[in-house]
Amino acid sequence: MAFKDSSSAVVKIRQRLPDFLQSVKLKYVKLGYGESCNLRTLLMFVVFLPVFIATLLQLSGLSFHRISDIWTAQTLHLDTATGLTGSAILLVILGIYWAKRPTPVYLVDFACYKPEDDRKISVEGFLKMTDDNGGFEEETLQFQRRISTRSGLGDETYLPRGITAKPPSLCMKEARSEAEAVMFGALDSLIRKTGLKAQDIGILIVNCSLFCPTPSLSSMIVNHYKLRPDIKSFNLSGMGCSAGVISIDLAKHLLKANPNTYAVVVSTENITLNWYFGNDRSMLLCNCIFRMGGAAMLLSNKAGDRVRSKYELVHTVRTHRGADDNSYNCVFQREDDNGRVGVSLARELMAVAGDALKTNITTLGPSVLPLSEQLMFLATLVKKKLLKARVKPYIPDFKKAFEHFCIHAGGRAVLDELQSNLQLSERQMEPSRMTLHRFGNTSSSSLWYELAYTEAKGRVSRGDRVWQIAFGSGFKCNSAVWRALTSISPPTSELNDNPWADSVHRYPVKIPPS
């Protein structure tokens, strides 16, 4: 993709992701195995525990050869010391297991915001609004038309009132109005679905990249729902489209430190104050694909909530490539030559995304791939990296690790390349493509519209594994893996609070070729 910015310099964005599965670094493979099997655990069970048991046996006077008598003798007589020693060993083993067991984190339910019908805007409606604005040059208008018709967005996405107003009202009041509508709409739906009471919320995490008012968005929620004064609230900003998974990861760690607690996560983006009305084409891509949306999730570490929860969190893997200058600068909020603020996309974007994805997938692989896939992958990697043999790299089959894929609907070109690199089928890519078509790029919340689509189609069965993967500015790539605790029936009416309830019967739709 090539275009000219306001200074007439040609900017090119490489449309193809690098083949990130063809080149991996051993340090990320090592990191992945460190996530699933760390040194402390190995030392505990391989060294310290056997030594401890052997010491107790010697102190008790129980000979090792008598252990076989448990299976060969019809009756086995043990003295008091031996019985007490055995009981002590059993208690120690149970204590170690109890102390080391991971704290389960359950996703009780989630809800996605569906704006009112009067917020809908078609592709032609968007182009007409852009034309009527009068602030764009003719070449810029033609550029937006080309992008919009190839973007994969449909005619039922949503824009906030401040942008569609004539003239546009890009002010703090409208931005707050958009934030309140999205966040409160998603939370009201979540409360209806779960029966959650405001005073039960112990942790609140809100992520919104580009709108960070004072008081914060999390404070808006605390005030609106009159949450309790000791709530642990967090407001994440500037972290891009992958911030939703970051919020889930933060909630996981907070729940591990705070037993018997509910955590609510709200993921959204605010468009009103971040709509770009200049002619720098590197900043206009966001206008063409970003749309209004948000989601709210209820997480719990209460054992009793397992029976009513939809999913259990299995893994989170976060990758941050911000130490590299190209990665840091590839998605950058700045002013154009005329002082208008926008988010620019650099020519290195696709290469940076590929590198971050490669790192994240390599780290995640050892935790989720079947043993057969890991052995094939490691054998090929050792031959290539250590033995310097010329062998064709083995690409692990992630389809064997997951039943469902929720890939951030960041744009059609990225989805095309991810499908090619991961060798996914059209059905596996369907939630992402249909979410992009129906709702557009809703930033960090898009993963939840995709999961809602999968549920609306009745495809989630007990034991299924779901992979959510998103990437965003910084540059970051983050993954979350969930396991379904129950089979989920498709919605029977709009009262189900699934955003797809009234339209899923029309999907999937055929996307015109770009």
Side-chain angles (χ1 to χ4, degrees), residues 356-432:
L357 284 164
K358 175 183 67 179
T359 304
N360 189 269
I361 288 173
T362 306
T363 306
L364 178 66
S367 299
V368 298
L369 286 170
L371 183 59
S372 60
E373 290 295 304
Q374 294 189 49
L375 291 176
M376 291 290 292
F377 173 74
L378 286 173
T380 306
L381 191 63
V382 168
K383 290 179 182 178
K384 183 177 181 181
K385 297 290 186 178
L386 300 182
L387 304 180
K388 305 300 181 182
R390 291 189 175 183
V391 294
K392 184 178 180 181
Y394 180 75
I395 302 175
D397 187 359
F398 278 87
K399 298 189 291 295
K400 294 182 179 180
F402 309 106
E403 283 72 38
H404 307 289
F405 296 80
C406 296
I407 300 170
H408 168 53
R412 183 175 183 174
V414 175
L415 293 179
D416 289 344
E417 290 305 315
L418 278 170
Q419 179 178 7
S420 174
N421 273 278
L422 295 176
Q423 300 176 1
L424 301 179
S425 67
E426 287 296 330
R427 182 181 174 89
Q428 289 164 331
M429 293 296 298
E430 188 179 308
S432 299

Side-chain angles (χ1 to χ4, degrees), residues 192 230 263 288 308:
R192 286 194 299 270
D230 65 340
C288 298
R308 73 175 184 128

Side-chain angles (χ1 to χ4, degrees), residues 277-510:
F277 282 108
N279 289 286
D280 185 331
R281 298 191 188 184
S282 68
M283 299 181 178
L284 282 169
L285 290 172
C286 296
N287 285 12
C288 298
I289 60 175
F290 277 88
R291 295 295 183 265
M292 187 180 183
M297 292 65 71
L298 175 61
L299 302 174
S300 172
N301 58 11
K302 300 181 180 183
D305 280 327
R306 181 181 178 89
V307 295
R308 73 175 184 128
S309 297
K310 285 185 171 181
Y311 304 92
E312 181 178 0
L313 184 61
V314 181
H315 299 290
T316 54
V317 174
R318 293 171 54 180
T319 300
H320 200 313
R321 302 289 297 169
D324 174 71
D325 289 342
N326 285 337
S327 299
Y328 176 76
N329 291 310
C330 71
V331 180
F332 208 88
Q333 187 177 27
R334 61 176 177 83
E335 295 174 333
D336 66 12
D337 292 345
N338 296 314
R340 295 187 180 94
V341 176
V343 177
S344 66
L345 308 180
R347 70 181 69 187
E348 298 88 4
L349 176 59
M350 297 297 272
V352 165
D355 189 54
L357 284 164
K358 175 183 67 179
T359 304
N360 189 269
I361 288 173
T362 306
T363 306
L364 178 66
S367 299
V368 298
L369 286 170
L371 183 59
S372 60
E373 290 295 304
Q374 294 189 49
L375 291 176
M376 291 290 292
F377 173 74
L378 286 173
T380 306
L381 191 63
V382 168
K383 290 179 182 178
K384 183 177 181 181
K385 297 290 186 178
L386 300 182
L387 304 180
K388 305 300 181 182
R390 291 189 175 183
V391 294
K392 184 178 180 181
Y394 180 75
I395 302 175
D397 187 359
F398 278 87
K399 298 189 291 295
K400 294 182 179 180
F402 309 106
E403 283 72 38
H404 307 289
F405 296 80
C406 296
I407 300 170
H408 168 53
R412 183 175 183 174
V414 175
L415 293 179
D416 289 344
E417 290 305 315
L418 278 170
Q419 179 178 7
S420 174
N421 273 278
L422 295 176
Q423 300 176 1
L424 301 179
S425 67
E426 287 296 330
R427 182 181 174 89
Q428 289 164 331
M429 293 296 298
E430 188 179 308
S432 299
R433 293 193 186 280
M434 297 308 105
T435 294
L436 183 64
H437 182 272
R438 176 64 179 84
F439 294 97
N441 181 347
T442 61
S443 190
S444 58
S445 65
S446 68
L447 298 174
W448 300 102
Y449 287 93
E450 293 163 14
L451 186 54
Y453 177 87
T454 307
E455 291 185 356
K457 283 294 186 179
R459 296 176 182 174
V460 179
S461 300
R462 180 185 177 90
D464 283 0
R465 296 154 298 178
V466 180
W467 182 20
Q468 293 180 320
I469 184 165
F471 41 90
S473 59
F475 194 87
K476 297 177 287 293
C477 178
N478 302 307
S479 291
V481 179
W482 305 88
R483 181 186 295 111
L485 298 176
T486 184
S487 297
I488 300 172
S489 302
T492 56
S493 68
E494 291 188 58
L495 297 178
N496 182 272
D497 284 311
N498 187 306
W500 294 90
D502 65 340
S503 60
V504 71
H505 63 281
R506 296 188 275 112
Y507 284 86
V509 297
K510 184 175 177 60

Side-chain angles (χ1 to χ4, degrees), residues 172-237:
M172 182 64 74
K173 180 181 178 181
E174 288 294 340
R176 286 184 180 273
S177 177
E178 179 193 350
E180 291 171 355
V182 174
M183 295 192 304
F184 300 163
L187 283 167
D188 288 347
S189 177
L190 182 68
I191 290 170
R192 286 194 299 270
K193 295 174 77 171
T194 62
L196 178 68
K197 296 179 181 178
Q199 293 303 310
D200 293 336
I201 303 173
I203 298 168
L204 173 65
I205 303 171
V206 180
N207 68 267
C208 181
S209 189
L210 293 173
F211 183 52
C212 188
T214 299
S216 66
L217 298 179
S218 60
S219 293
M220 286 186 192
I221 294 173
V222 171
N223 176 260
H224 181 78
Y225 292 97
K226 309 304 178 187
L227 303 186
R228 66 197 205 196
D230 65 340
I231 190 168
K232 297 174 175 62
S233 66
F234 302 83
N235 200 99
L236 308 182
S237 63

Side-chain angles (χ1 to χ4, degrees), residues 126-145:
F126 163 75
L127 293 172
K128 185 178 186 305
M129 177 191 72
T130 302
D131 193 9
D132 292 345
N133 173 262
F136 298 105
E137 299 172 354
E138 182 59 32
E139 288 186 4
T140 304
L141 290 171
Q142 292 302 318
F143 169 77
Q144 292 183 79
R145 177 172 291 278

Side-chain angles (χ1 to χ4, degrees), residues 14-31:
R14 181 182 178 184
Q15 283 204 353
R16 296 189 62 84
L17 285 172
D19 197 355
F20 50 85
L21 288 178
Q22 297 288 334
S23 174
V24 296
K25 295 183 179 180
L26 284 173
K27 65 178 180 179
Y28 299 129
V29 178
K30 183 178 179 181
L31 179 62

